[in-house]
Amino acid sequence: MTELLVGKSMKRKEDQRLLTGRGRYVDDIRRPGESHAYFVRSPHAHAEIRSVKKDAALASPGVLGVFTGKDIQRDNWGSIPCGWVVTDRYGKPHKAVPHYALTPDKARYVGDHVAVVVAETYAQARDAAELIEIDYHELPPVIDLATAMSGAQIHDLAPQNLCYDWELGEQAEIDAVFARAHHVASLDLVNNRLAPSPMEPRAALAEYDPAQESYTLWSTSQNPHMLRWMLSENVSGIPETKLRVISPDVGGGFGMKIYCYPEETTCLWLSKQVGRPVRWTGDRSESFLADAHGRDHRTRVELALDDKGIFLGLKVDTVANMGAYLSNYATSIPTYFYATLLAGCYKTPVIHCDVKAVFTNTSPVDAYRGAGRPEAAYLIERIIDVAAMEMGVDPIELRRRNFIKPADFPYQTPVHLIYDIGDYDASLDEALRMIDYAGFPARKAESKSRGKLRGIGVACYIEACGVAPSQLIGKMGAGAGLWESAQVRFNVTGTAFVLTGTHGHGQGHETTFGQIVADMFGIPIEHVELVHGDTSQVPMGMGTYGSRSLAVGGSAIVRAAEKVIAKGHKIAAHMLEAAENDVEYARGWYSVPGTNRKVKLTDVAKKAYIPVDYPVGLEPGLDETAFYDPANFTYPAGAHIAEVEIDPETGTLKIVDWVAVDDFGKVINPMIVEGQIHGGLAQGIGQAILENVVYDSETGQLLSGSFMDYAMPRADDFPNFKVGYTETPCTHNPLGAKGAGEAGAIASPPALINAISNALGIRHIDMPATPQRIWRAARAAGAADAQKE
Amino acid sequence: MRRITMTVNGREITCEVEERLLLVQFLRETLKLTGTHVGCDTSQCGVCVVHVDGQSIKSCSMLAVQADGRSVTTIEGLMKDGEMHPMQAAFHDQHGLQCGFCTPGMVMSAIDLLQKNPDPTEQEIREWLEGNLCRCTGYHNIVKAVRQAATAISRQGEART
């Protein structure tokens, strides 16, 4: 019998093509007769569009057409939807402002889509775009989040630029708790705006087939079925049967490629208009301008504690930036993926959260790796350190006193979620051991002898993954159920296709899912072929985000494989001339215990397709589909510790050590999971010390609009990461898996800011903690110390 | 339009090209060698790195006409006798790639590092790769892969001598 593959660090199946230049990304696909689209984007943050003169552009060489939002509107194409209805504190739905592929009336951010040119070549389209004359009437832009509600109104539907004013918890209850608190720690903090920046820019290629009256759209999408659904139902009216969406190899997504975007929507419309395939590939400048950004909160957080340091209540007041339009899931991120996580790993009995979501003249904001959960973890783990400092308690000890303990599970938090399992002390113990926490004072003293400030910071995070139980999110306003589908299709010769509604764009699904199926069927992994990213091949699925692919998609695959085995059981019983009840199955073999009679699953598959001597009533074929709707979220958790050294003379920061201990439940491929942690850490550390999207507060021009201005983390910004695991298997899915994609990005910002604050001996420093900010903080702290002396 | 001749992955190619055509567009659009990618428009990201006369260059910052008469190697030209180059093999072994978009440039750049410094330290690898962005891996396993390739290539060299 072959070795079990689950739990092994198998090298990836997808590497061969990607390492030899044979990957097929959207921009690598060529269609005969394809034309090129170039978008004319608003140079103004906020302006009425009075007129668009196309004549000169239309006369330019190679131009096939020039179109505006009014042209698309004449075809009755609708608004790109926001699929998650958030009900505000007065019981009213959020302000669902329209979002057209090309804006017909008003430009609402720098980079907004005003017109499109289609030409024989990209260069011709771009040249012609220069000749379009647009008469703009500039309006005052609304940029600063703090004053957005008193700025000029961006949407007719949304007075005060307010999308919703939402509340979770009871005001009277939290007030009572704070009234009897021994200590209240409070902090104002910024969760900085980020540009997700996968290395592959977004791209689309649309083709119309007049014979079938059908469309094919190749898109850099994380969830092709959802894209098809939105384009079909909300935007175009093209029936799903006439619209095929294909996501081939995709060069990273991180949430940003979940959404339905104006560019791909426009290309789809254009493909019929110009009667030619239409291609658009964004350049990086367009990515910065018009990809959905992440985070962008301003928050006041207050933690009430008793005299023993037990948490009594948490009060959070957040203003969240929606940008100029609502991206597909924008409303849910600062509410249901944020406030519901505010218990963290702790038994805080009362939690109250206010969220005002506001429109500004900036790019739309939506989910980015972690999506709401990093914002929650950041404020919880920061305010605990502040409270510890103010009360003179060790921050580790303060966390332990308030942890939900293993005996408390399942644990009902005051903010909707029920955690199924976890062991937070175990992760923390292991992290402290791995970083030699006890040796820190000696290391700090050694640094001090060299004039350097050393600091250590811990963050204990929890996240809700395995998105998501349909009934629960339905109650929260979701317009979709977030189950997943799988189809396992045995072939005559004993190989198997596995079709999944998730989509891999770096996560190694072909390998991980292959390991699971190969083990269940006792066949080599080379005989398992994963099919994903094509709506015409794969049953309806919900895509990849929210660390859901393994926990939900993998569970669906297990269920489909179980159905295959169950069907095979009947066939095997016939082949073995035994009663079904007498036949047992284990890893590729059906056998009759106590006899030497056995038959391989692969031979059963062959029989299923050549049923010449089948009994009456037994159905041919071995091809089963399952839909899996999780019973609950999964709750990965862990402890990360950062150790830093700061040069107070220059503000330069060196991350000298990093330990990440995570509980992802059962791990299928440790190598791949470790890679996910590394990547998440890099993005979280990037947020904490490097990255920041900056708009000019007066003009709304994007100041961080290229890799020269936006500080992407580079190889020499990082140390080697030390990764450890603890394991409490998820209790409600067949794999025991919780999901690993987002943890690094959630845990690392608070761990690092805690370490920097610790090194400087200060309460807080805002992200990104750049050398300049650190230098200023070090100077201020030094001056304060000198005054005391 | 200008007529240019160059050797690409060992094959001589003669073409008429527009003077403003970038080398990366020539490789991708004209020769259909789509393994070389484009990830930015300011020559920061390095996903377009190829070798010209054995030196790594960002093919987005060179015109096709500047490569006239020269020898270009892209990611597609690295395999020999069906075997991956030790750098490709090391990226596979060490899980030095996830989405794969930065990978061709990363591999081409790292090979040039080892030509110039056959035994780089971890810090030297990290500094060399400053011009190659990766958003997936946190660079950790890329650095390990380059170290593995350095060892493998020096062993190959020893075996030959």
Side-chain angles (χ1 to χ4, degrees):
Chain A
M1 194 169 270
T2 49
E3 228 181 340
L4 281 173
L5 304 182
V6 166
K8 276 199 172 343
S9 286
M10 291 209 54
K11 290 177 202 167
R12 299 200 317 168
K13 294 181 76 176
E14 32 288 82
D15 286 358
Q16 177 74 21
R17 69 173 186 277
L18 300 177
L19 273 165
T20 54
R22 296 189 186 106
R24 259 164 79 85
Y25 301 88
V26 172
D27 193 53
D28 300 340
I29 293 161
R30 297 282 171 271
R31 298 299 299 167
E34 67 182 31
S35 60
H36 297 260
Y38 182 80
F39 286 85
V40 180
R41 296 173 184 278
S42 172
H44 305 295
H46 199 188
E48 275 171 32
I49 301 163
R50 292 202 162 152
S51 67
V52 179
K53 280 193 195 151
K54 306 174 181 177
D55 307 5
L58 281 168
S60 187
V63 170
L64 301 169
V66 177
F67 305 94
T68 65
K70 293 205 161 75
D71 296 317
I72 302 187
Q73 272 194 332
R74 273 193 284 275
D75 256 5
N76 291 320
W77 278 39
S79 163
I80 296 170
C82 176
W84 203 301
V85 179
V86 167
T87 303
D88 74 7
R89 60 168 71 227
Y90 312 105
K92 298 249 166 54
H94 75 262
K95 299 292 191 299
V97 301
H99 182 198
Y100 296 106
L102 297 179
T103 181
D105 53 347
K106 207 171 155 187
R108 292 182 175 86
Y109 66 102
V110 173
D112 202 355
H113 315 70
V114 178
V116 66
V117 183
V118 190
E120 296 289 346
T121 71
Y122 175 76
Q124 286 172 335
R126 195 162 183 167
D127 285 344
E130 297 286 326
L131 304 173
I132 298 174
E133 279 180 52
I134 302 170
D135 181 17
Y136 289 103
H137 172 66
E138 284 186 64
L139 300 165
V142 179
I143 304 300
D144 187 1
L145 196 48
T147 55
M149 287 182 63
S150 53
Q153 192 167 331
I154 297 169
H155 292 278
D156 295 343
L157 264 181
Q160 293 185 289
N161 296 318
L162 186 63
C163 180
Y164 55 76
D165 180 356
W166 180 83
E167 179 184 39
L168 184 66
E170 296 296 328
Q171 188 69 51
E173 215 179 322
I174 196 77
D175 288 346
V177 162
F178 272 71
R180 62 180 167 87
H182 168 78
H183 183 81
V184 173
S186 60
L187 191 61
D188 292 300
L189 52 83
V190 172
N191 207 290
N192 43 326
R193 179 186 275 243
L194 303 175
S197 306
M199 293 316 300
E200 180 205 26
R202 281 189 295 117
L205 172 61
E207 183 169 344
Y208 177 67
D209 175 356
Q212 301 291 333
E213 296 179 321
S214 70
Y215 296 78
T216 303
L217 175 66
W218 288 265
S219 167
T220 50
S221 174
Q222 297 178 217
N223 51 349
H225 286 94
M226 295 268 270
L227 180 56
R228 182 184 66 168
W229 180 4
M230 285 184 276
L231 285 170
S232 178
E233 181 169 349
N234 304 93
V235 180
S236 71
I238 301 167
E240 282 162 298
T241 47
K242 298 290 184 189
L243 176 55
R244 176 183 186 183
V245 178
I246 300 173
S247 297
D249 283 329
V250 171
F254 314 116
M256 188 279 286
K257 288 178 181 166
I258 300 172
Y259 324 115
C260 176
Y261 279 96
E263 290 90 350
E264 58 206 351
T265 305
T266 304
C267 285
L268 187 66
W269 179 77
L270 288 169
S271 66
K272 188 175 179 185
Q273 285 295 310
V274 300
R276 301 260 297 268
V278 179
R279 159 185 304 289
W280 170 78
T281 299
D283 62 28
R284 185 58 62 179
S285 300
E286 293 181 285
S287 306
F288 276 107
L289 286 173
D291 287 358
H293 292 164
R295 321 281 192 258
D296 206 349
H297 288 191
R298 289 177 156 271
T299 293
R300 181 171 183 80
V301 51
E302 294 177 276
L303 178 65
L305 304 96
D306 74 8
D307 56 352
K308 296 184 183 64
I310 301 300
F311 303 164
L312 301 175
L314 183 75
K315 194 154 70 173
V316 175
D317 201 343
T318 291
V319 182
N321 202 338
M322 297 283 101
Y325 300 98
L326 291 177
S327 179
N328 299 149
Y329 312 102
T331 49
S332 68
I333 306 306
T335 49
Y336 291 112
F337 288 96
Y338 170 65
T340 54
L341 271 299
L342 287 173
C345 305
Y346 311 100
K347 288 194 270 194
T348 315
V350 185
I351 295 173
H352 186 267
C353 184
D354 269 322
V355 180
K356 287 187 178 68
V358 301
F359 294 106
T360 59
N361 292 117
T362 62
S363 178
V365 179
D366 205 329
Y368 166 57
R369 201 170 196 164
R373 291 152 288 170
E375 295 91 317
Y378 182 64
L379 70 85
I380 296 165
E381 294 303 299
R382 278 273 53 234
I383 196 67
I384 291 175
D385 263 30
V386 169
M389 188 183 194
E390 288 174 352
M391 294 178 76
V393 185
D394 179 74
I396 308 279
E397 172 56 25
L398 190 57
R399 285 176 170 82
R400 288 200 197 278
R401 273 183 215 171
N402 290 282
F403 272 158
I404 301 159
K405 301 289 180 186
D408 299 325
F409 294 102
Y411 181 80
Q412 171 71 61
T413 72
V415 278
H416 289 321
L417 301 181
I418 302 173
Y419 301 164
D420 63 334
I421 193 168
D423 187 346
Y424 310 138
D425 279 302
S427 302
L428 183 54
D429 289 341
E430 177 64 359
L432 293 170
R433 185 193 66 76
M434 283 173 68
I435 206 155
D436 181 21
Y437 190 73
F440 175 72
R443 299 195 293 274
K444 186 178 174 78
E446 190 279 326
S447 292
K448 197 176 175 190
S449 72
R450 290 182 285 109
K452 303 283 166 52
L453 304 172
R454 204 173 183 103
I456 196 161
V458 61
C460 298
Y461 75 96
I462 190 165
E463 54 169 332
C465 291
V467 173
S470 298
Q471 294 205 9
L472 179 57
I473 61 163
K475 282 181 202 146
M476 296 173 175
L482 296 182
W483 45 266
E484 194 45 81
S485 70
Q487 187 177 2
V488 175
R489 187 186 295 166
F490 250 103
N491 298 306
V492 184
T493 57
T495 58
F497 285 113
V498 175
L499 293 77
T500 173
T502 64
H503 182 267
H505 29 276
Q507 300 91 334
H509 290 178
E510 291 164 50
T511 308
T512 301
F513 292 160
Q515 286 174 258
I516 294 168
V517 173
D519 275 4
M520 288 184 75
F521 292 160
I523 60 177
I525 191 168
E526 294 77 19
H527 290 184
V528 182
E529 191 71 23
L530 190 73
V531 180
H532 57 183
D534 184 345
T535 59
S536 75
Q537 290 197 60
V538 179
M540 177 70 180
M542 302 311 281
T544 285
Y545 41 83
S547 304
R548 72 188 302 273
S549 296
L550 181 61
V552 187
S555 294
I557 290 171
V558 170
R559 291 291 183 243
E562 285 169 352
K563 285 187 180 179
V564 162
I565 292 165
K567 168 86 179 281
H569 221 101
K570 294 189 201 322
I571 305 166
H574 166 64
M575 291 169 78
L576 295 169
E577 295 176 343
E580 236 184 283
N581 283 342
D582 295 337
V583 176
E584 283 187 358
Y585 177 80
R587 290 188 56 211
W589 288 93
Y590 294 95
S591 60
V592 183
T595 74
N596 60 1
R597 281 183 291 162
K598 58 180 186 173
V599 61
K600 266 176 120 165
L601 173 59
T602 48
D603 292 329
V604 168
K606 189 161 208 165
K607 179 67 72 181
Y609 290 105
I610 314 175
V612 289
D613 59 350
Y614 248 35
V616 175
L618 192 53
E619 185 188 2
L622 199 54
D623 182 341
E624 297 290 332
T625 301
F627 287 75
Y628 179 82
D629 200 347
N632 191 353
F633 287 97
T634 62
Y635 298 97
H640 287 215
I641 306 182
E643 191 164 324
V644 302
E645 194 179 76
I646 288 167
D647 182 343
E649 298 297 318
T650 61
T652 2
L653 171 86
K654 193 170 171 227
I655 301 172
V656 289
D657 207 355
W658 197 288
V659 166
V661 177
D662 298 282
D663 176 359
F664 296 133
K666 200 163 167 212
V667 170
I668 309 296
N669 185 320
M671 176 194 82
I672 287 175
V673 167
E674 201 168 315
Q676 288 294 311
I677 299 167
H678 295 158
L681 286 175
Q683 287 176 5
I685 293 170
Q687 166 164 34
I689 60 175
L690 294 162
E691 299 177 39
N692 204 20
V693 173
V694 182
Y695 287 93
D696 182 271
S697 60
E698 288 184 8
T699 63
Q701 295 296 326
L702 181 63
L703 301 180
S704 53
S706 81
F707 284 149
M708 293 189 291
D709 311 290
Y710 185 83
M712 281 279 277
R714 290 163 198 265
D716 55 2
D717 291 316
F718 299 120
N720 270 317
F721 302 119
K722 294 177 188 158
V723 174
Y725 299 107
T726 56
E727 185 183 312
T728 60
C730 170
T731 59
H732 57 77
N733 69 42
L735 290 164
K738 297 180 182 176
E742 298 161 292
I746 296 170
S748 52
L752 189 46
I753 296 299
N754 284 350
I756 294 169
S757 303
N758 175 259
L760 297 173
I762 59 174
R763 291 175 86 241
H764 183 62
I765 185 167
D766 261 328
M767 301 189 289
T770 57
Q772 193 198 40
R773 281 186 179 171
I774 291 175
W775 180 78
R776 285 180 191 283
R779 295 242 312 172
D785 284 348
Q787 236 173 19
K788 269 183 229 156
E789 283 160 19
Chain B
M1 299 291 274
R2 272 255 312 264
R3 192 179 175 78
I4 56 169
T5 299
M6 70 178 89
T7 306
V8 179
N9 298 333
R11 247 182 67 213
E12 195 177 279
I13 283 158
T14 299
C15 263
E16 293 269 326
V17 298
E18 233 184 316
E19 284 84 348
R20 68 175 173 178
L21 191 71
L22 296 171
L23 178 58
V24 67
Q25 293 169 318
F26 177 68
L27 294 171
R28 286 183 57 80
E29 310 296 330
T30 312
L31 303 185
K32 315 289 185 219
L33 291 170
T34 54
T36 301
H37 299 146
V38 179
C40 77
D41 42 18
T42 52
S43 72
Q44 305 287 301
C45 78
V47 305
C48 66
V49 170
V50 299
H51 291 180
V52 175
D53 292 339
Q55 304 278 318
S56 61
I57 60 108
K58 288 180 173 171
S59 60
C60 73
S61 54
M62 186 173 183
L63 297 165
V65 295
Q66 291 176 294
D68 189 15
R70 303 171 79 172
S71 174
V72 177
T73 307
T74 70
I75 191 77
E76 288 93 342
L78 283 185
M79 295 234 316
K80 284 219 170 71
D81 307 322
E83 291 280 314
M84 286 208 271
H85 184 280
M87 189 63 76
Q88 291 169 305
F91 269 68
H92 177 58
D93 288 345
Q94 298 294 339
H95 189 31
L97 68 154
Q98 290 182 26
C99 80
F101 200 76
C102 76
T103 309
M106 204 59 91
V107 166
M108 298 309 285
S109 183
I111 289 172
D112 195 25
L113 164 64
L114 298 190
Q115 289 173 171
K116 296 182 165 72
N117 178 358
D119 187 24
T121 63
E122 188 195 307
Q123 191 55 31
E124 285 169 337
I125 296 168
R126 288 182 182 275
E127 281 168 15
W128 176 270
L129 293 178
E130 268 246 324
N132 291 79
L133 295 177
C134 170
R135 194 56 152 169
C136 294
T137 64
Y139 306 98
H140 184 108
N141 289 342
I142 291 175
V143 174
K144 276 165 66 182
V146 179
R147 271 307 315 162
Q148 177 187 318
T151 309
I153 290 169
S154 77
R155 279 208 198 111
Q156 269 183 1
E158 279 163 23
R160 260 187 233 118
T161 47

